[in-house]
């Protein structure tokens, strides 16, 4: 890993953290636990789809750094557990479906990532709180997951189209 | 055709959205007879209130090892009006008197479910 890449990874982690913090500070869109746009996922998508010198492991690095650091901001151990489970599941499914849908359907991959994140979080919450009624939150979560996933997907497409060059030339 | 994938995925995503909205509407509109509120803490039932028998609204506080919630009971509905949790999701959920959606305060591990009085038929809520 050369210096430029190291710096860019740091910058991207910073961007993801800022997106997360700003979104966290805003009042919730709807009063349902866990409904959010998940803007920080645009960074993961961006790295996954930059291609060339960027590998999935880079995206995994930035994502795990973001999850760990955001737990410090939120300050709740349970949130760390939920976002770690959701984040891992989301990342793996995006990695898998990236091969199916390619760059052209990036927003679809993003929606799948959002779905996996929600399902992972709810599954973790059901196990931790021993309450199956949490599953009732899945339909609205997935519904807003479509909205957030599409939004993030289109943002990532725009970022790659407009600013992809900055990231592609490494070394 | 170049855009075939895009068209198909748009249709699939739109139909999934419609199905989810329908399920959500079903959950919200679940009918309950003689609503009874059951308050669970750490997964254990700690209080049962027959909401049909409430004459005057009253409120009480439930304190657990994680924090405190103030619960208000009115005729036919129940809600959390104050809590010292960080997210206030439980307060934002508002008052419930039917439907399958419980009020949940995750940080305090508190849950209020509405169930039908007497014969409870809540395979869904459990």
């Amino acid at each position: 890993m050369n210096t430029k890449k190291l710096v860019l990874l740091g910058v991207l982690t910073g961007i993801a953290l800022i997106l997360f913090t700003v979104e966290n500070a805003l009042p919730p869109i709807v009063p349902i636990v866990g409904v959010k746009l998940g803007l920080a996922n645009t960074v993961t998508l961006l790295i996954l789809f930059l291609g060339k010198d960027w590998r999935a492991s880079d995206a995994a690095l930035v994502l795990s750094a973001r999850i760990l650091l955001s737990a410090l901001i939120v300050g709740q151990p349970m949130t760390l557990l939920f976002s770690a489970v959701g984040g891992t599941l989301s990342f793996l499914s995006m990695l898998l479906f990236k091969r199916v849908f390619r760059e052209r359907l990036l927003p679809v991959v993003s929606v799948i990532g959002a779905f996996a994140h929600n399902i992972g979080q709810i599954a973790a919450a059901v196990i931790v709180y021993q309450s199956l009624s949490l599953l009732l939150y899945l339909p609205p979560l997935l519904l807003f997951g479509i909205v957030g996933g599409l939004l993030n997907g289109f943002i990532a497409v725009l970022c790659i189209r407009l600013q992809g060059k900055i990231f592609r030339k490494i070394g | 055709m170049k855009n075939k994938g895009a068209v198909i995925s748009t249709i699939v995503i739109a139909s999934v959205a419609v199905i989810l909205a329908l399920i959500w509407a079903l959950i919200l509109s679940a009918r309950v007879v003689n609503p009874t509120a059951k308050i669970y803490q750490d997964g254990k039932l700690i209080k049962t209130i027959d909401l049909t028998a409430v004459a005057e609204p009253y409120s009480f506080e439930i304190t657990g090892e994680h924090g405190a919630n103030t619960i208000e009971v009115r005729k036919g509905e129940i809600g959390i009006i104050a809590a010292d949790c960080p997210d206030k999701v439980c307060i934002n959920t508002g008052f419930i008197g039917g439907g399958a959606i419980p009020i949940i305060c995750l940080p305090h591990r508190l849950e209020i479910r509405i169930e039908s009085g007497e014969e409870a038929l809540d395979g869904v809520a459990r």
Side-chain angles (χ1 to χ4, degrees):
Chain A
M1 190 185 291
N2 64 34
T3 317
K4 185 177 176 187
K5 191 162 181 187
L6 190 65
V7 170
L8 282 175
L9 285 177
V11 170
L12 286 166
T13 309
I15 294 173
L17 260 182
I18 291 169
L19 289 172
F20 175 87
T21 313
V22 169
E23 207 185 338
N24 203 42
L26 295 174
I29 333 164
V30 275
I32 300 169
V33 209
V35 169
K36 54 186 287 191
L37 293 172
L39 287 174
N41 195 38
T42 47
V43 175
T44 314
L45 280 166
L46 179 71
I47 303 174
L48 273 181
F49 283 91
L50 271 175
K52 279 209 161 174
D53 299 323
W54 296 83
R55 287 154 191 237
S57 57
D58 299 324
L61 260 178
V62 171
L63 178 65
S64 35
R66 202 266 296 161
I67 290 174
L68 286 174
L69 290 170
S70 60
L72 290 178
I73 294 172
V74 178
Q76 275 207 305
M78 276 304 160
T79 318
L80 174 63
L81 176 75
F82 295 155
S83 50
V85 174
T88 313
L89 215 61
S90 161
F91 181 76
L92 292 177
S93 56
M94 289 197 293
L95 203 59
L96 182 73
F97 282 95
K98 183 192 156 204
R99 287 167 204 279
V100 182
F101 293 109
R102 311 269 157 186
E103 283 82 62
R104 220 159 44 79
L105 291 178
L106 192 154
V108 181
V109 180
S110 171
V111 170
I112 291 170
F115 271 31
H117 192 271
N118 288 332
I119 292 169
Q121 274 190 318
I122 287 284
V126 164
I127 292 165
V128 169
Y129 295 110
Q130 308 260 302
S131 164
L132 274 180
S133 46
L134 283 168
L135 286 177
L136 293 170
Y137 284 108
L138 210 47
L141 275 179
L142 294 180
L143 200 58
F144 285 97
I146 293 181
V147 179
L150 283 178
L151 179 73
N152 294 337
F154 288 121
I155 294 175
V157 170
L158 272 182
C159 286
I160 291 172
R161 280 217 191 123
L162 300 176
Q163 301 295 334
K165 269 184 242 157
I166 301 174
F167 295 101
R168 277 198 193 108
K169 275 188 204 156
I170 292 177
Chain B
M1 219 171 105
K2 207 189 161 205
N3 283 324
K4 208 178 165 190
V7 173
I8 292 173
S9 31
T10 309
I11 294 170
V12 170
I13 290 177
S15 16
V16 170
V18 171
I19 293 168
L20 286 172
L22 284 176
I23 298 174
W24 182 228
L26 271 179
I27 291 175
L28 280 181
S29 63
R31 284 267 157 254
V32 175
V33 271
N34 299 330
T36 303
K38 295 196 168 169
I39 302 171
Y40 295 82
Q41 194 174 42
D42 281 316
K44 286 192 292 283
L45 181 67
I46 55 165
K47 209 171 165 73
T48 307
I49 304 165
D50 183 359
L51 293 181
T52 44
V54 180
E56 283 289 302
Y58 63 96
S59 62
F60 57 92
E61 197 178 73
I62 285 189
T63 318
E65 53 179 305
H66 310 287
N69 298 65
T70 308
I71 296 173
E72 188 169 299
V73 184
R74 300 177 193 157
K75 188 167 178 57
E77 54 180 11
I78 187 168
I80 294 179
I81 50 169
D84 56 6
C85 58
D87 57 12
K88 310 282 184 231
V89 167
C90 54
I91 302 173
N92 288 328
T93 311
F95 279 76
I96 56 170
I101 294 299
I103 297 176
I104 295 182
C105 181
L106 280 186
H108 295 172
R109 296 191 165 212
L110 194 75
E111 186 178 336
I112 306 175
R113 288 187 216 157
I114 301 292
E115 287 168 15
S116 293
E118 306 292 73
E119 281 298 310
L121 29 91
D122 62 328
V124 184
R126 252 163 222 269

